[in-house]
Amino acid sequence: MAPEGVEQIELTGPWQAVREAGGAPRLVSTRSGRVQAYNHLERGDSFPIDAEVGGSDTTCYDALVLPGGVANPDALRQNPAAVAFARSFFDDGKPVAAICHAPWTLIEADVVRGRTVTSWPSLHTDLANAGANWVDEEVKICTGGPNVLVTSRKPDDLPAFNQALVSEFAKA
């Protein structure tokens, strides 16, 4: 994720779900240090970064979760290393989960063409223009591609999103 602008609950909710399922999540960012999270527009907590995308070997990871917020995915889609990192999970057939505005990064990685996804409603046109089939659903699990792609619309959808990503990641 970007060093600033992630929606805190979209980071901490999936993180906790993965840990409770026995996984070992790692926070990967575009630079070292800490990530500053937000509760909508208010500063939230900060979290230590475990690795940088430019120096991370994606073969060391089983899956990818992309939390949203507006600023986080907007910054990621402008970072070639972050875009390549996200794309590599599709190239390797590994599961990916993205919530809210996070599909912006996937659009930039050119991995949504032909996929059925959901997102924050304002991304509908962006996703359609990138060749995705956008649906307004709490959570969408798309298996019509090289990997499983789990998407969700907003923080209110986190219970369904977390359940779906844990279930799909366990199958991988």
Side-chain angles (χ1 to χ4, degrees), residues 8-168:
Q8 184 163 320
I9 192 67
E10 293 175 6
L11 167 63
T12 58
W15 186 280
Q16 181 178 348
V18 168
R19 289 192 71 179
E20 288 174 359
R26 293 181 40 94
L27 199 152
V28 181
S29 183
T30 56
R31 69 165 196 226
S32 62
R34 296 183 73 82
V35 166
Q36 177 61 58
Y38 283 79
N39 298 307
H40 192 53
L41 299 175
E42 301 294 323
R43 274 185 179 266
D45 298 321
S46 69
F47 301 89
I49 295 166
D50 296 312
E52 291 182 54
V53 291
S56 290
D57 178 2
T58 57
T59 61
C60 297
Y61 302 99
D62 297 324
L64 176 65
V65 177
L66 292 167
V70 176
N72 174 53
D74 190 50
L76 290 180
R77 69 182 174 162
Q78 297 177 65
N79 184 297
V83 171
F85 185 79
R87 185 182 309 114
S88 69
F89 285 84
F90 289 79
D91 294 342
D92 295 342
K94 294 180 179 181
V96 172
I99 188 169
C100 198
H101 288 78
W104 268 339
T105 306
L106 302 180
I107 291 168
E108 192 65 31
D110 194 25
V111 294
V112 296
R113 187 172 319 282
R115 305 303 294 267
T116 300
V117 300
T118 192
S119 68
W120 186 257
S122 66
L123 274 66
H124 171 249
T125 300
D126 297 336
L127 284 158
N129 287 341
N133 175 38
W134 187 86
V135 295
D136 185 12
E137 296 178 14
E138 185 178 46
V139 66
K140 183 64 186 173
I141 300 169
C142 179
T143 57
N147 65 337
V148 172
L149 176 58
V150 178
T151 52
S152 210
R153 301 172 300 189
K154 57 190 173 184
D156 290 345
D157 297 338
L158 276 166
F161 179 68
N162 293 342
Q163 181 180 2
L165 74 87
V166 165
S167 174
E168 293 302 320

